[in-house]
Amino acid sequence: MSLLKQNIQNLTYAVHPEDRTSYDCWLGYQKLKDQKLVEQYLNVCREVIIPSQSKIMSSVQEELTRGIETMLGAAPVVSHERSENSSIVLTTESSLTSELNEEGYVIQSREEGGSHYLYLIGRREKGLLYAAFHLLKFMQMKQELKNLSIMENPVNEIRMLNEWDNMDGSIERGYAGGSLFYRENSFTGQLGRIKDYARLLASVGINSIAINNVNVHQVETNLITSAFLPETAQVAEIFSSYGIKTYLSINYASPIQIGGLDTADPLDEQVRSWWKEKTKEIFDYIPDFGGFVVKADSEHRPGPFTYDRNHADGANVLAEALQPFGGLVFWRCFVYNCLQDWRDRSIDRARAAYDNFKPLDGHFLDNVILQIKNGPMDFQVREPVSPLIGVWKQPTR
């Protein structure tokens, strides 16, 4: 995704429409030159029936209008009630929805009473969003819209990007320019670009994003305070309009660094209360906040080991605070002694995650997701699969 960020970072809205191909990526919606195909598409695309108004459905309406008008040269009429005219009909009311999961969708063409309808059917609104992008992709590829019967059910419930953006504007291990979100320890305020990034992510089915580096530094620790939560909420609202939940990477020592406590011990009652109050404050700003991403006890990051607690203790205090709101904890399993002497053959870094987490099987609350790197050492392409993958006997998400 770094190339997408480079496109969005380096180009501006002042670019002439004909030169915006790089910026728009695959959402450029080039005008179709085949007039016969245009007429065929217009037969069904002159009207779009949107069942309700919500922030996600507004995004669906905007995307369909943008795509159809650009490709066909005529904006569709948008209605909220069925007519007898050929049209695109979006609905969550159908016998087919029982066959769909929460984000699944059906695209189906039907002939009814001499009119041609193209149904986009979803169990939830996010399914309709994905169906709309699917339809626009078909049109860009000049595909036939008759006799369609497509069903998509996403297998993976969570499809997430972990951004490694720092608030100074840099990106750790970033190779394609600066941050979309931050510059000089503040938010950029470039909400238009962030919206276009959200569109790109939604168009390929991304439904979750952590907007700051998992290595949380001093300034970023304050993202969960009132100093930054109003602007964080603005960004989260944009992503939410495209069915994407926003997560924040947090500093495990926050109760000390911003909470005024003298400990971050996960079993300390003051610490547990502090996290509950802080979590409620975040949800007051961001009602559909996703939750926390945590890197603890690795590469100088603070964590429960400081207090002779294990990773289940560390994760569960956060999960407990998030449970009333339906939030999740992504707890990273990338744990090892970064000060070890690589020449000491008695220490096996490749099995560090296994040694730390295997004994804790079944000890994590249900809203904890253990985030395991594909390789046991780091993310190098030549590594074998982590020995921690596949060892859990207790059900995990």
Side-chain angles (χ1 to χ4, degrees), residues 17-32:
E18 292 181 0
D19 298 326
R20 285 188 46 153
T21 303
S22 289
Y23 182 92
D24 289 328
C25 300
W26 51 86
L27 298 181
Y29 304 133
Q30 299 298 310
K31 182 173 177 58
L32 298 178

Side-chain angles (χ1 to χ4, degrees), residues 182-193:
Y182 317 110
R183 190 170 296 124
E184 297 178 354
N185 294 324
S186 299
F187 279 84
T188 62
Q190 294 179 325
L191 302 183
R193 289 184 172 185

Side-chain angles (χ1 to χ4, degrees), residues 238-265:
I238 292 171
F239 282 116
S240 180
S241 296
Y242 287 88
I244 301 170
K245 281 187 175 292
T246 298
Y247 291 75
L248 290 172
S249 298
I250 61 164
N251 182 342
Y252 200 79
S254 291
I256 300 172
Q257 294 194 17
I258 61 174
L261 302 183
D262 59 5
T263 180
D265 182 351

Side-chain angles (χ1 to χ4, degrees), residues 331-349:
W331 189 269
R332 288 169 57 88
C333 298
F334 186 53
V335 175
Y336 72 102
N337 177 8
C338 65
L339 301 178
Q340 72 186 55
D341 185 344
W342 63 270
R343 295 163 295 189
D344 184 351
R345 297 300 181 89
S346 68
I347 303 173
D348 187 351
R349 174 177 166 181

Side-chain angles (χ1 to χ4, degrees), residues 79-91:
S79 305
H80 300 295
E81 296 182 1
R82 278 282 308 273
S83 69
E84 296 181 358
N85 301 322
S86 297
S87 55
I88 298 170
V89 180
L90 288 83
T91 181

Side-chain angles (χ1 to χ4, degrees), residues 106-150:
V106 168
I107 300 177
Q108 191 174 82
S109 53
R110 301 178 191 170
E111 295 285 345
E112 297 176 5
S115 296
H116 182 69
Y117 296 98
L118 191 59
Y119 283 88
L120 308 186
I121 303 165
R123 188 168 185 177
R124 300 286 182 265
E125 290 183 346
K126 279 203 277 189
L128 296 179
L129 176 68
Y130 300 140
F133 279 118
H134 193 145
L135 172 61
L136 292 170
K137 177 186 73 173
F138 257 50
M139 293 173 67
Q140 289 183 90
M141 296 172 64
K142 304 178 179 63
Q143 299 293 306
E144 177 65 61
L145 297 186
K146 295 181 180 179
N147 303 315
L148 287 180
S149 183
I150 300 167

